[in-house]
Amino acid sequence: MSGACVIGVDLGGTKLLAGVVDADLRVHHRTQRLVPHADTAALLDSVCQAVEEARVAARAPIVAVGFGIACLMDDRRGVAATSVHLPIADLPFADVMRERLGLPVQVDNDANAAMLVEWRAGAARGATDAVLLTIGTGIGGGLVVGGRLARGSIGAGPELGHMVIDEHGPPCPGGCPGRGCLEAFVSGEAIGRAGTQAALDRPDSGLGRVLASGRAVTGPLVTELAWDGDPVARAVLETSGRHLGVGITSLVNIFNPSVVVVGGGVIAAGDMLLEPARAVVAQRALWPARDVVEIVPAHFAEEAGMLGAATMALEAAGLRSVASPLPAERRA
Ligand SMILES: [Zn+2]
């Protein structure tokens, strides 16, 4: 390997993935670990160790590091404003990492990072208007509007998972004060809850037998049984897909995107989730916006966050061209 590389880090609620990435977005080394939640110091130590491990493994100069973090950003103060899953609230994360790593550092919300790389090189390539939903433990959102990554006035958007699809719906999990948000219906955790209820209702089903054996019914397990043909598990995904379609209908009506990219761990369900979503959009979204939108899985799948973080670092370092520049404050 010859050219300079960067390290992209996807810092999620449960796991961290760091990759050594070159200017063509090829990944030369990966390191993965569970994220410690005990306190901020333990978290930062673990992040630094992962970056150093990747740096040692890289057989090329590392010129920058990008982080996509599961948190809400506040550009006014340069901090991670809140995070449901990580002990980093009010931390000037970029400054701390710059100091500790001795390298230029870029930081953004993980879904914004995923949107960036899907837009530059993935499923939303060439789009001037695109939406990304990354569905895992919760739901992250990314937006390209008029050829620019839209992040809101202070960088705290776009939290598309907190779009309300049922005013009287269940309380939103985590730190959101809302009710009936898309995330309360369609996340991996929500699918696990719906799967558990379906298992209780139908003890004769594959899901029911799994629950009876003492195993927890999780989102990935529902998907696995659905792929195996269990009709009850498939029905759970069908219902989740229809909820997803209701949310996407609003996004299609508001933003008129040419593509809606769905990523995150839940997309392992593939068309079992996307087909019901497409059907709802076809029924309910406004014409003609509904006729131009494609609803597709993320090209970079579970690596979109890591590769998006790497893309931020590559663009800031001048190693990849910036077709539509990020706001200046994100490139400092
Ligand atoms: Zn919410």
Side-chain angles (χ1 to χ4, degrees), residues 129-156:
D129 295 84
V131 172
L132 174 134
L133 294 168
T134 176
I135 312 177
T137 313
I139 298 185
L143 266 182
V144 174
V145 177
R148 293 184 70 88
L149 205 60
R151 305 174 60 262
S153 63
I154 60 167

Side-chain angles (χ1 to χ4, degrees), residues 318-332:
L319 293 175
R320 276 181 72 84
S321 67
V322 183
S324 303
L326 292 172
E329 72 272 15
R330 307 308 308 166
R331 306 174 64 198

Side-chain angles (χ1 to χ4, degrees), residues 161-163 172-173 176-179 181-184:
H162 296 283
M163 172 176 47
C172 195
C176 172
R179 317 181 60 97
C181 299
L182 184 63
E183 178 168 316

Side-chain angles (χ1 to χ4, degrees), residues 83-164:
S83 176
V84 171
H85 305 290
L86 298 168
I88 57 167
D90 290 327
L91 187 75
F93 189 87
D95 291 343
V96 170
M97 282 297 142
R98 228 170 257 136
E99 171 95 355
R100 288 186 61 162
L101 299 171
L103 286 168
V105 165
Q106 306 293 314
V107 176
D108 207 339
N109 170 274
D110 54 351
N112 286 339
M115 178 80 265
L116 178 67
V117 74
E118 290 290 345
W119 179 36
R120 294 280 201 256
R125 187 170 187 167
T128 59
D129 295 84
V131 172
L132 174 134
L133 294 168
T134 176
I135 312 177
T137 313
I139 298 185
L143 266 182
V144 174
V145 177
R148 293 184 70 88
L149 205 60
R151 305 174 60 262
S153 63
I154 60 167
E159 288 292 329
L160 304 179
H162 296 283
M163 172 176 47
V164 175

Side-chain angles (χ1 to χ4, degrees), residues 189-316:
E189 286 187 6
I191 293 173
R193 279 195 303 275
T196 302
Q197 187 58 52
L200 290 168
D201 294 344
R202 291 286 305 275
D204 58 320
S205 66
L207 272 180
R209 284 189 290 276
V210 163
L211 190 66
S213 75
R215 282 177 74 187
V217 175
T218 60
L221 184 68
V222 172
T223 300
E224 185 186 319
L225 288 177
W227 278 117
D228 288 346
D230 178 26
V232 175
R234 288 194 167 214
V236 170
L237 291 181
E238 160 97 23
T239 302
S240 298
R242 293 190 67 83
H243 289 314
L244 177 63
V246 171
I248 292 176
T249 295
S250 288
L251 296 170
V252 168
N253 289 344
I254 297 167
F255 295 108
N256 178 209
S258 59
V259 61
V260 175
V261 181
V262 182
V266 168
I267 199 58
D271 277 347
M272 290 188 291
L273 193 74
L274 294 188
E275 272 302 317
R278 292 183 186 115
V280 169
V281 171
Q283 283 168 355
R284 297 193 180 188
L286 291 166
W287 180 86
R290 71 181 183 212
D291 295 337
V292 301
V293 68
E294 285 188 87
I295 300 169
V296 299
H299 176 77
F300 293 107
E302 301 222 13
E303 297 211 315
M306 183 272 282
L307 286 167
T311 301
M312 292 191 299
L314 287 163
E315 292 185 356

